[in-house]
Amino acid sequence: MIDQELQQLVASNARTIQAMLEQQETSRLQYEANQLRHEEQMDEIRQAMLRLARVEEGLVNMMVSIDEDRPTVLRRLTSIENKIDRILEKEEGG
């Protein structure tokens, strides 16, 4: 091999190695970007799950409150019904 061919071969190999290194760096950066996107998506899912848990807790609390208020509401309705009955009885009798 003559000196010029050797220099061309070395230069070609250097360009090939440089291209491989650049491709490797590009792949690494893409992988890191994908990992970051994945972590962000998982965080969004976790946040959504927490919001759903809070909504569910609120619904449960509301249902418990309704169950607790039901006797009070029934007593009030019964009281109103009794008052109406008394008023009607007075009107019929009087």
Side-chain angles (χ1 to χ4, degrees), residues 20-46:
M20 290 171 63
L21 290 173
E22 289 172 1
Q23 179 60 42
Q24 184 180 17
E25 180 64 12
T26 299
S27 296
R28 184 185 66 78
L29 292 173
Q30 287 173 342
Y31 174 78
E32 288 175 359
N34 286 338
Q35 285 296 103
L36 181 61
R37 272 194 303 276
H38 176 73
E39 289 172 12
E40 289 170 349
Q41 290 169 344
M42 291 303 293
D43 188 50
E44 287 178 22
I45 290 170
R46 280 188 212 97

Side-chain angles (χ1 to χ4, degrees), residues 6 14 31 40 44 60 65 67 86:
L6 187 57
Y31 174 78
E40 289 170 349
E44 287 178 22
V60 167
S65 176
D67 283 346
R86 283 194 302 270

Side-chain angles (χ1 to χ4, degrees), residues 5-73:
E5 289 175 336
L6 187 57
Q7 286 178 349
Q8 288 176 346
L9 182 60
V10 168
S12 174
N13 286 345
R15 285 190 301 273
T16 300
I17 291 169
Q18 183 63 36
M20 290 171 63
L21 290 173
E22 289 172 1
Q23 179 60 42
Q24 184 180 17
E25 180 64 12
T26 299
S27 296
R28 184 185 66 78
L29 292 173
Q30 287 173 342
Y31 174 78
E32 288 175 359
N34 286 338
Q35 285 296 103
L36 181 61
R37 272 194 303 276
H38 176 73
E39 289 172 12
E40 289 170 349
Q41 290 169 344
M42 291 303 293
D43 188 50
E44 287 178 22
I45 290 170
R46 280 188 212 97
Q47 294 299 321
M49 290 176 67
L50 288 172
R51 286 191 302 272
L52 284 172
R54 284 192 295 270
V55 167
E56 182 181 21
E57 183 180 351
L59 288 173
V60 167
N61 290 338
M62 183 180 71
M63 296 301 291
V64 167
S65 176
I66 288 171
D67 283 346
E68 289 173 354
D69 291 344
R70 189 176 301 155
T72 303
V73 170

